[in-house]
Amino acid sequence: MLYSRLVDAYESISKTTKRLEITSLLVGLLRQTPPTVIDKVVYLTQGKLYPDYLGIEVGIAEKLAIKCISAVAGTTEQKVTAEYKAKGDLGTAVEELLDKKTQAALQKEPLTVEDVYTGLDRIARSAGSGSVESKIRQLTGMLGKASPIEAKYLIRTALGRLRLGVADMTILDALSQAFASGKASRTVLEQAYNRSSDLGLLSKRLAAGGIQEIESFKITVGIPVRPMLAERLPDAKEILEKMDGIAAAEYKYDGLRIQAHLSPNGITMFSRRLENITEQFPDVQKLLKQGVGIGEIVLEGETVPVDSATGDLLPFQLVSQRRGRKYELEKTIEEIPVAFFAFDILFANGTDYTGQPYPKRRGALEKLVRSQDRLGLSRQMIVRSAEQLDEFMQQAIADGCEGLMIKSVGPDSIYKAGSRGWAWIKYKREYKSEMQDTVDLAVVGAFAGRGRRGGAYGALLLAAYDEKEDMFRTTCKCGSGFTDEDLAKLPELLDKYKVDHKHARVDSKIEADAWFVPGLVIEVIGAEITLSPIHTCGMNSIRPGAGLAIRFPRFTGRYRTEKAPEEATTAIEIIEMYNNQLKKIESKPMEAV
Ligand code: ATP
């Protein structure tokens, strides 16, 4: 398949911000794509080469890309750098620099999708001595065959900055329209995606065998399942009503969620964002090896740091430091040991447990896990009254947890992969401020700092996720809570998300000084949620023309890097928090309001 076909679609997609238009452009593209390369087209359109969980990133250093461009354009590296500085994007710079006539002459052998995929794959995989030369050879070879416009997208992809804004859900919509029909097949596709976390694989099977092929998609040990998530409520009575009077209350451990895939060949572990974190937790591997029966098993649990002397649970931050510090791993493991509390089972020796109600899954988990030092099941109590629930909550807090997870025990309490629903409700301890809970918001823009913050970002524009429309809608401008260290670090943290215009998936009435692809998620607490004419989160849901804003937002210091932007607090959750706040005010005695 010609790369120019893909590039035509990219051009049209980048000119629109409407999701429906993007979807129909994708449908056109997918229908014209031969089934043999459809997986590659899907990955490339999202700026990737593989599903995220494999952790293989496209990426070539800017310096190398500049070297390659200068060789192909027949100009100096200084000139390329100057053009890059002027345009702010190396893709646009290369499009300008390449001589259209020379490139046309060179294009005797046109660039194909296969060429681009294979070239980028070689770049991604080359390591060690000679890798720099090999990367230069690959990229120069591809650029030599590319037209100026192809070169623009090739460079952006090679740098890991394609950023077309095509979300997973949009690809699923497009796939179902291109190869299957009706709402039912869209649901089947999404369920298969939730079990495989791999849109490329899904598209290949769908294009080759139709929707029947997708219906038989199974959980595979070693391939992560997208996690089930919880709703939240602040009141025990309300929670119990939602659960029809009976529920399993469990300690909500404040740690890191791990999905462990056990097989006779070894154990693989994935984070909540489906990154492979096996290497960082050899101690958890050891615990699981000792305490869980042999076979093919997929289970989930929370890893929590513990005090080695007392066994007390310690703050989450201590385990998050494990990430990325490979060289000091052994020391950290010794100094800050962790415990693992299993809370769900998804698969065991040929049986898919996700379709079974929670009590059955818990029963299977109890049989499978042999509790021992630092390994066990999440502490659980079946509750039938609000009083029982509150009492258990006090106990959980006293034991160092952040609250409770209340789980449905009804016949419908299946494991809903990849979705947030009322079968799980989180009940967290109250914070001192009126806003009862922290929120996790996506950074979508930033404002230049003034005075002491000159040259850095002074405040961030933050957004909640609107699941229905797959958009990020602003809810506050946050400038407090950042330490000097945070302020120094932010430009670097955000650089990889930077775009020169408001992103297609961002809904903002505010003009920011810098815009970002929603990527970084941070935790924020505010004084209260108020109606706002300028913020777009929850627009028109409470009052026409008004959205919802977080008043006096403050960064808690917690970067939620384990969360994808789509896992940020949703607009619906903010609306619920606003309504709960109103209820709380109404139920207070008059003089207290
Ligand atoms: P928060 O931001 O409130 O910590 P979250 O947004 O990260 O929560 P939620 O799905 O809203 O994620 O809350 C559930 C999380 O709580 C799970 O992802 C898991 O990491 C953690 N957890 C701790 N204990 C349990 C338990 N017993 N059962 C299920 N999840 C648990």
Side-chain angles (χ1 to χ4, degrees):
M1 179 181 181
L2 291 181
Y3 187 53
S4 60
R5 175 64 195 96
L6 200 55
V7 162
D8 283 349
Y10 288 175
E11 273 289 280
S12 313
I13 290 172
S14 62
K15 285 192 184 112
T16 175
T17 56
K18 297 198 179 80
R19 182 174 169 184
L20 284 181
E21 256 174 56
I22 295 180
T23 312
S24 83
L25 287 163
L26 283 173
V27 172
L29 173 69
L30 293 170
R31 283 199 178 129
Q32 285 180 25
T33 303
T36 46
V37 285
I38 197 160
D39 50 344
K40 297 185 170 71
V41 165
V42 165
Y43 294 133
L44 285 173
T45 304
Q46 291 196 298
K48 308 174 186 171
L49 295 171
Y50 292 98
D52 287 340
Y53 73 83
L54 288 179
I56 301 173
E57 289 188 11
V58 218
I60 191 162
E62 249 174 33
K63 254 173 130 178
L64 286 194
I66 290 173
K67 213 182 221 350
C68 300
I69 295 170
S70 87
V72 176
T75 180
T76 61
E77 288 178 37
Q78 286 78 359
K79 178 109 191 283
V80 180
T81 310
E83 190 71 20
Y84 173 27
K85 284 223 170 103
K87 296 279 187 297
D89 163 45
L90 202 51
T92 318
V94 71
E95 189 183 12
E96 286 292 315
L97 286 167
L98 287 187
D99 184 310
K100 293 190 176 66
K101 274 194 208 134
T102 329
Q103 287 300 116
L106 277 173
Q107 270 204 304
K108 276 191 208 106
E109 200 192 319
L111 197 60
T112 64
V113 169
E114 291 86 337
D115 290 335
V116 171
Y117 188 88
T118 312
L120 292 175
D121 193 28
R122 288 198 179 130
I123 292 174
R125 286 169 186 272
S126 61
S129 73
S131 67
V132 170
E133 290 74 22
S134 142
K135 285 180 184 180
I136 293 178
R137 211 170 37 245
Q138 291 297 335
L139 189 59
T140 317
M142 288 189 278
L143 280 175
K145 284 186 180 183
S147 68
I149 195 164
E150 287 171 348
K152 170 168 83 175
Y153 288 103
L154 180 60
I155 283 294
R156 285 184 185 167
T157 313
L159 289 170
R161 295 184 198 152
L162 182 65
R163 297 173 194 169
L164 285 176
V166 178
D168 293 356
M169 294 303 140
T170 315
I171 300 253
L172 284 175
D173 286 344
L175 281 171
S176 72
Q177 288 174 34
F179 302 108
S181 56
K183 252 191 160 170
S185 55
R186 171 66 173 76
T187 312
V188 170
L189 267 175
E190 189 166 337
Q191 281 168 351
Y193 172 54
N194 288 335
R195 274 148 199 249
S196 66
S197 319
D198 187 344
L199 284 172
L201 177 69
L202 206 68
S203 56
K204 197 163 190 167
R205 295 243 190 118
L206 180 68
I211 196 77
Q212 294 89 325
E213 188 65 21
I214 303 300
E215 275 158 359
S216 58
F217 232 85
K218 297 229 164 40
I219 289 182
T220 312
V221 175
I223 297 183
V225 177
R226 288 163 40 83
M228 171 164 175
L229 301 171
E231 290 285 353
R232 66 172 99 197
L233 277 178
D235 179 70
K237 208 165 143 248
E238 235 179 295
I239 294 176
L240 224 68
E241 274 164 20
K242 264 265 187 248
M243 293 286 175
D244 292 332
I246 178 167
E250 283 177 19
Y251 275 16
K252 184 177 195 304
Y253 299 95
D254 191 9
L256 211 71
R257 183 174 188 158
I258 286 186
Q259 191 179 97
H261 290 236
L262 290 82
S263 88
N265 303 327
I267 299 177
T268 315
M269 294 188 289
F270 297 100
S271 70
R272 183 198 146 108
R273 278 192 84 166
L274 312 183
E275 293 142 333
N276 189 327
I277 49 168
T278 314
E279 306 267 292
Q280 284 149 56
F281 292 95
D283 43 352
V284 176
Q285 274 191 68
K286 208 161 143 195
L287 287 171
L288 292 172
K289 228 179 240 169
Q290 288 164 353
V292 182
I294 306 167
E296 295 222 300
I297 294 152
V298 180
L299 54 80
E300 279 189 334
E302 195 84 355
T303 319
V304 198
V306 287
D307 186 313
S308 53
T310 61
D312 288 349
L313 302 181
L314 295 174
F316 154 87
Q317 276 80 357
L318 292 172
V319 70
S320 68
Q321 287 164 12
R322 275 273 182 101
R323 322 181 105 232
R325 274 177 53 182
K326 282 191 187 130
Y327 50 95
E328 277 189 344
L329 198 58
E330 270 174 33
K331 208 169 126 221
T332 322
I333 289 171
E334 207 172 298
E335 278 170 9
I336 311 161
V338 293
F340 184 82
F341 298 98
F343 59 71
D344 219 316
I345 182 159
L346 283 64
F347 183 87
N349 301 320
T351 306
D352 182 340
Y353 279 95
T354 55
Q356 301 201 9
Y358 185 52
K360 283 224 161 134
R361 304 205 299 282
R362 175 84 185 188
L365 200 59
E366 275 165 9
K367 275 198 201 127
L368 209 73
V369 179
R370 292 184 295 275
S371 290
Q372 49 195 271
D373 188 27
R374 296 198 280 118
L375 175 74
L377 262 61
S378 52
R379 184 139 182 215
Q380 191 194 70
M381 182 183 173
I382 301 296
V383 289
R384 291 183 173 79
S385 71
E387 292 70 36
Q388 263 183 320
L389 195 54
D390 275 331
E391 229 169 82
F392 197 45
M393 174 77 157
Q394 294 313 320
Q395 207 175 318
I397 304 287
D399 283 343
C401 293
E402 56 171 350
L404 295 175
M405 290 292 292
I406 323 295
K407 301 183 178 179
S408 161
V409 289
D412 297 338
S413 58
I414 59 169
Y415 186 96
K416 278 207 170 145
S419 74
R420 196 180 283 281
W422 291 104
W424 284 9
I425 300 176
K426 56 186 166 184
Y427 182 33
K428 295 214 268 186
R429 79 170 157 254
E430 291 205 2
Y431 291 85
K432 284 191 191 70
S433 78
E434 275 300 305
M435 230 176 100
Q436 302 195 347
D437 203 349
T438 54
V439 286
D440 299 322
L441 301 173
V443 181
V444 296
F447 303 89
R450 285 192 222 121
R452 218 167 65 82
R453 293 188 180 179
Y457 293 133
L460 301 179
L461 183 61
L462 303 177
Y465 181 53
D466 176 347
E467 285 175 293
K468 228 168 115 201
E469 306 282 337
D470 187 31
M471 290 288 288
F472 290 84
R473 306 203 193 270
T474 70
T475 187
C476 65
K477 188 173 158 182
C478 177
S480 63
F482 298 99
T483 61
D484 286 347
E485 201 189 321
D486 290 320
L487 292 172
K489 192 162 82 174
L490 276 171
E492 195 189 314
L493 267 179
L494 287 165
D495 186 56
K496 63 175 170 181
Y497 303 115
K498 206 166 172 190
V499 277
D500 58 5
H501 54 275
K502 184 170 72 185
H503 192 257
R505 291 167 74 205
V506 171
D507 177 20
S508 172
K509 286 193 185 181
I510 298 172
E511 264 309 309
D513 297 323
W515 291 107
F516 308 107
V517 178
L520 181 68
V521 178
I522 64 170
E523 189 180 76
V524 166
I525 181 97
E528 61 175 335
I529 300 173
T530 55
L531 290 171
S532 152
I534 53 164
H535 283 289
T536 54
C537 167
M539 183 53 79
N540 301 328
S541 58
I542 307 284
R543 189 178 297 161
L548 291 172
I550 294 173
R551 210 153 77 93
F552 304 132
R554 207 185 152 71
F555 174 47
T556 63
R558 200 161 169 181
Y559 296 94
R560 304 290 319 245
T561 46
E562 81 284 13
K563 280 195 167 184
E566 292 80 8
E567 287 170 338
T569 301
T570 60
I572 291 183
E573 284 180 289
I574 304 263
I575 297 169
E576 274 160 13
M577 288 169 87
Y578 177 80
N579 285 331
N580 284 329
Q581 198 179 274
L582 285 188
K583 270 190 232 158
K584 217 176 146 199
I585 294 170
E586 279 159 13
S587 64
K588 273 188 192 170
M590 277 309 283
E591 61 272 22
V593 177

Coordinates of all heavy atoms in Angstrom, one line a residue, residues 20-69:
L20 N -16.8 13.0 14.4 CA -17.5 12.2 13.3 C -16.8 12.3 12.0 O -16.8 11.3 11.2 CB -18.9 12.8 13.2 CG -19.9 12.4 14.3 CD1 -21.3 12.9 14.0 CD2 -20.0 10.8 14.5
E21 N -16.3 13.5 11.7 CA -15.5 13.6 10.4 C -14.3 12.7 10.4 O -14.0 12.1 9.4 CB -15.1 15.0 10.2 CG -16.0 15.8 9.2 CD -15.6 17.2 9.1 OE1 -14.4 17.6 8.9 OE2 -16.6 18.0 9.3
I22 N -13.6 12.8 11.6 CA -12.3 11.9 11.7 C -12.7 10.5 11.5 O -12.1 9.7 10.7 CB -11.7 12.1 13.0 CG1 -11.2 13.6 13.2 CG2 -10.5 11.2 13.2 CD1 -10.5 14.0 14.5
T23 N -13.8 10.1 12.1 CA -14.2 8.7 12.0 C -14.5 8.3 10.5 O -14.1 7.3 10.0 CB -15.5 8.4 12.8 OG1 -15.3 8.9 14.1 CG2 -15.8 6.9 12.9
S24 N -15.2 9.2 9.8 CA -15.6 8.8 8.4 C -14.3 8.8 7.5 O -14.2 8.0 6.6 CB -16.7 9.6 7.9 OG -16.3 10.8 7.4
L25 N -13.4 9.7 7.8 CA -12.1 9.7 7.0 C -11.4 8.4 7.3 O -10.8 7.8 6.4 CB -11.2 10.8 7.5 CG -11.7 12.2 6.9 CD1 -11.0 13.3 7.7 CD2 -11.4 12.3 5.4
L26 N -11.4 7.9 8.5 CA -10.8 6.6 8.9 C -11.5 5.5 8.2 O -10.8 4.5 7.7 CB -10.8 6.4 10.4 CG -9.8 7.2 11.2 CD1 -10.0 7.0 12.7 CD2 -8.3 6.8 10.8
V27 N -12.8 5.5 8.2 CA -13.5 4.4 7.5 C -13.1 4.3 6.1 O -12.8 3.2 5.6 CB -15.1 4.7 7.6 CG1 -15.8 3.7 6.7 CG2 -15.5 4.6 9.0
G28 N -13.0 5.5 5.4 CA -12.5 5.5 4.0 C -11.1 4.9 3.9 O -10.9 4.0 3.0
L29 N -10.3 5.3 4.8 CA -8.9 4.8 4.7 C -8.9 3.2 5.0 O -8.2 2.5 4.2 CB -8.1 5.5 5.8 CG -6.7 4.9 6.0 CD1 -5.8 5.2 4.8 CD2 -6.0 5.5 7.3
L30 N -9.6 2.8 6.0 CA -9.6 1.4 6.3 C -10.1 0.5 5.2 O -9.6 -0.6 5.0 CB -10.3 1.1 7.6 CG -9.6 1.7 8.9 CD1 -10.6 1.7 10.1 CD2 -8.3 1.0 9.2
R31 N -11.2 1.0 4.6 CA -11.8 0.2 3.5 C -10.8 0.0 2.3 O -10.9 -0.9 1.6 CB -13.1 0.9 3.0 CG -14.2 0.7 4.0 CD -15.6 0.9 3.3 NE -16.6 0.7 4.2 CZ -17.6 1.5 4.5 NH1 -17.7 2.7 3.9 NH2 -18.6 1.2 5.3
Q32 N -10.0 1.0 2.1 CA -9.0 0.9 1.0 C -7.7 0.2 1.4 O -6.8 0.1 0.6 CB -8.6 2.3 0.6 CG -9.7 3.0 -0.2 CD -9.2 4.4 -0.6 OE1 -8.0 4.7 -0.7 NE2 -10.2 5.3 -0.8
T33 N -7.6 -0.2 2.7 CA -6.4 -0.8 3.1 C -6.4 -2.4 2.9 O -7.4 -3.0 3.4 CB -6.2 -0.5 4.6 OG1 -6.2 0.9 4.7 CG2 -4.9 -1.1 5.1
P34 N -5.4 -2.9 2.3 CA -5.4 -4.4 2.2 C -5.3 -5.0 3.6 O -4.6 -4.5 4.4 CB -4.1 -4.7 1.4 CG -3.7 -3.4 0.8 CD -4.3 -2.3 1.6
P35 N -6.0 -6.1 3.8 CA -6.0 -6.8 5.1 C -4.6 -7.1 5.6 O -4.4 -7.1 6.8 CB -6.9 -8.1 4.9 CG -7.7 -7.8 3.7 CD -6.9 -6.8 2.9
T36 N -3.7 -7.3 4.7 CA -2.4 -7.7 5.2 C -1.6 -6.6 5.9 O -0.7 -6.9 6.6 CB -1.5 -8.2 4.0 OG1 -1.7 -7.2 2.9 CG2 -1.9 -9.5 3.5
V37 N -2.0 -5.3 5.6 CA -1.2 -4.3 6.3 C -2.1 -3.4 7.2 O -1.7 -2.4 7.7 CB -0.6 -3.3 5.2 CG1 0.6 -3.8 4.6 CG2 -1.6 -2.7 4.2
I38 N -3.4 -3.9 7.4 CA -4.3 -3.1 8.2 C -3.8 -2.8 9.6 O -3.9 -1.7 10.1 CB -5.7 -3.6 8.1 CG1 -6.7 -2.5 8.6 CG2 -5.9 -4.9 9.0 CD1 -8.1 -2.7 8.2
D39 N -3.1 -3.8 10.2 CA -2.6 -3.6 11.6 C -1.6 -2.5 11.5 O -1.6 -1.6 12.4 CB -2.1 -4.9 12.1 CG -1.1 -5.6 11.2 OD1 -1.1 -5.3 10.0 OD2 -0.3 -6.5 11.7
K40 N -0.7 -2.5 10.5 CA 0.3 -1.5 10.4 C -0.3 -0.1 10.3 O 0.2 0.9 10.9 CB 1.3 -1.8 9.3 CG 2.0 -3.1 9.5 CD 3.0 -3.4 8.4 CE 3.9 -4.6 8.8 NZ 3.3 -5.9 8.7
V41 N -1.3 0.0 9.4 CA -2.0 1.3 9.2 C -2.6 1.8 10.5 O -2.5 3.0 10.8 CB -3.0 1.1 8.1 CG1 -4.0 2.3 8.0 CG2 -2.3 1.0 6.7
V42 N -3.2 0.9 11.3 CA -3.8 1.3 12.5 C -2.8 1.8 13.5 O -2.9 2.8 14.1 CB -4.7 0.1 13.1 CG1 -5.1 0.4 14.6 CG2 -6.0 0.0 12.3
Y43 N -1.7 1.0 13.7 CA -0.7 1.4 14.6 C -0.1 2.8 14.2 O 0.1 3.7 15.0 CB 0.5 0.4 14.7 CG 0.1 -1.0 15.3 CD1 0.5 -2.1 14.6 CD2 -0.6 -1.1 16.5 CE1 0.2 -3.4 15.2 CE2 -0.9 -2.3 17.0 CZ -0.5 -3.5 16.3 OH -0.8 -4.7 16.9
L44 N 0.3 2.9 12.9 CA 1.0 4.1 12.4 C 0.1 5.3 12.6 O 0.5 6.4 13.0 CB 1.4 3.9 11.0 CG 2.6 3.1 10.7 CD1 2.8 2.9 9.2 CD2 3.9 3.7 11.3
T45 N -1.2 5.1 12.4 CA -2.2 6.3 12.5 C -2.2 6.8 13.9 O -2.5 7.9 14.2 CB -3.6 5.9 12.0 OG1 -3.4 5.4 10.7 CG2 -4.6 7.0 12.1
Q46 N -1.9 5.9 14.9 CA -1.8 6.4 16.3 C -0.4 6.7 16.7 O -0.1 6.9 17.9 CB -2.4 5.3 17.2 CG -3.9 5.1 17.0 CD -4.5 4.4 18.1 OE1 -4.2 3.2 18.4 NE2 -5.4 5.0 18.8
G47 N 0.5 6.8 15.7 CA 1.9 7.1 16.0 C 2.6 6.0 16.7 O 3.6 6.3 17.4
K48 N 2.2 4.8 16.5 CA 2.9 3.6 17.2 C 3.3 2.6 16.2 O 2.9 2.7 15.0 CB 1.9 2.9 18.1 CG 1.1 3.8 19.0 CD 0.1 2.9 19.8 CE -0.8 3.8 20.6 NZ -1.9 3.2 21.2
L49 N 4.0 1.6 16.7 CA 4.3 0.4 15.9 C 3.7 -0.9 16.4 O 3.5 -1.8 15.7 CB 5.8 0.3 15.8 CG 6.6 1.4 15.1 CD1 8.1 1.2 15.4 CD2 6.3 1.4 13.6
Y50 N 3.4 -0.8 17.7 CA 2.9 -2.0 18.4 C 1.9 -1.6 19.5 O 1.8 -0.4 19.8 CB 4.1 -2.7 19.1 CG 5.1 -3.3 18.2 CD1 6.3 -2.7 17.9 CD2 4.9 -4.6 17.6 CE1 7.2 -3.2 17.0 CE2 5.8 -5.1 16.7 CZ 6.9 -4.4 16.4 OH 7.8 -5.0 15.6
P51 N 1.2 -2.5 20.0 CA 0.3 -2.1 21.2 C 1.1 -1.6 22.3 O 2.3 -2.0 22.5 CB -0.4 -3.4 21.5 CG 0.4 -4.5 21.0 CD 1.1 -4.0 19.8
D52 N 0.6 -0.7 23.1 CA 1.3 0.0 24.1 C 2.0 -0.9 25.1 O 3.1 -0.7 25.6 CB 0.4 0.9 24.9 CG 0.0 2.1 24.1 OD1 0.8 2.5 23.1 OD2 -1.0 2.8 24.4
Y53 N 1.3 -2.1 25.4 CA 1.8 -2.9 26.5 C 3.2 -3.5 26.2 O 3.9 -3.9 27.0 CB 0.8 -4.0 26.9 CG 0.6 -5.1 25.9 CD1 1.5 -6.2 25.9 CD2 -0.4 -5.1 25.0 CE1 1.3 -7.2 25.0 CE2 -0.6 -6.1 24.1 CZ 0.3 -7.2 24.1 OH 0.1 -8.2 23.2
L54 N 3.6 -3.5 24.9 CA 4.9 -4.1 24.6 C 6.0 -3.1 24.8 O 7.2 -3.5 24.9 CB 4.9 -4.5 23.1 CG 4.1 -5.8 22.8 CD1 4.2 -6.1 21.3 CD2 4.6 -7.0 23.6
G55 N 5.6 -1.8 25.0 CA 6.6 -0.8 25.4 C 7.7 -0.5 24.4 O 8.8 -0.1 24.7
I56 N 7.4 -0.8 23.1 CA 8.4 -0.5 22.0 C 8.0 0.8 21.4 O 6.9 0.9 20.8 CB 8.4 -1.6 20.9 CG1 8.7 -3.0 21.6 CG2 9.4 -1.2 19.8 CD1 8.6 -4.1 20.6
E57 N 8.8 1.8 21.7 CA 8.4 3.2 21.2 C 9.1 3.5 19.9 O 10.3 3.2 19.8 CB 8.7 4.2 22.3 CG 7.8 4.0 23.5 CD 7.9 5.1 24.5 OE1 8.6 6.1 24.2 OE2 7.4 5.0 25.5
V58 N 8.4 4.2 19.0 CA 9.1 4.8 17.9 C 9.8 6.0 18.5 O 9.4 6.6 19.4 CB 8.1 5.5 16.9 CG1 8.6 5.2 15.5 CG2 6.7 5.2 17.1
G59 N 10.9 6.3 17.9 CA 11.6 7.4 18.5 C 13.0 7.5 18.0 O 13.8 6.6 18.2
I60 N 13.3 8.6 17.4 CA 14.7 8.9 17.0 C 15.1 10.2 17.6 O 14.2 11.1 17.7 CB 14.8 8.8 15.5 CG1 16.3 8.8 15.0 CG2 14.1 10.0 14.8 CD1 16.5 8.3 13.6
A61 N 16.3 10.4 18.0 CA 16.6 11.7 18.6 C 16.5 12.8 17.6 O 16.8 12.6 16.4 CB 18.1 11.6 19.2
E62 N 16.1 14.0 18.0 CA 16.0 15.2 17.1 C 17.3 15.4 16.3 O 17.3 15.7 15.1 CB 15.8 16.4 17.9 CG 14.4 16.9 17.8 CD 14.1 18.1 18.7 OE1 15.0 18.8 19.1 OE2 12.9 18.2 19.1
K63 N 18.4 15.3 17.0 CA 19.7 15.6 16.4 C 20.0 14.6 15.2 O 20.4 15.1 14.1 CB 20.8 15.3 17.4 CG 21.4 16.6 17.9 CD 22.4 16.2 19.0 CE 23.7 16.8 18.9 NZ 24.6 16.4 20.0
L64 N 19.6 13.4 15.4 CA 19.8 12.4 14.3 C 18.9 12.7 13.1 O 19.3 12.7 11.9 CB 19.5 11.0 14.7 CG 20.6 10.3 15.6 CD1 20.3 8.8 15.7 CD2 22.0 10.5 15.1
A65 N 17.6 13.1 13.5 CA 16.7 13.4 12.4 C 17.2 14.6 11.6 O 17.1 14.6 10.4 CB 15.3 13.7 13.0
I66 N 17.7 15.6 12.3 CA 18.2 16.8 11.6 C 19.4 16.4 10.7 O 19.5 16.9 9.5 CB 18.7 17.9 12.6 CG1 17.4 18.4 13.3 CG2 19.5 19.0 12.0 CD1 17.7 19.4 14.5
K67 N 20.2 15.5 11.1 CA 21.4 15.0 10.3 C 20.8 14.4 9.0 O 21.3 14.7 7.9 CB 22.1 14.0 11.1 CG 23.6 13.9 10.8 CD 24.2 12.8 11.7 CE 25.4 13.0 12.3 NZ 26.4 13.8 12.4
C68 N 19.8 13.5 9.2 CA 19.3 12.8 8.0 C 18.6 13.8 7.0 O 18.8 13.7 5.8 CB 18.2 11.8 8.4 SG 18.8 10.5 9.5
I69 N 17.9 14.8 7.6 CA 17.2 15.8 6.7 C 18.2 16.6 6.0 O 18.1 16.8 4.7 CB 16.3 16.7 7.6 CG1 15.1 15.9 8.2 CG2 15.7 17.8 6.7 CD1 14.3 16.6 9.3

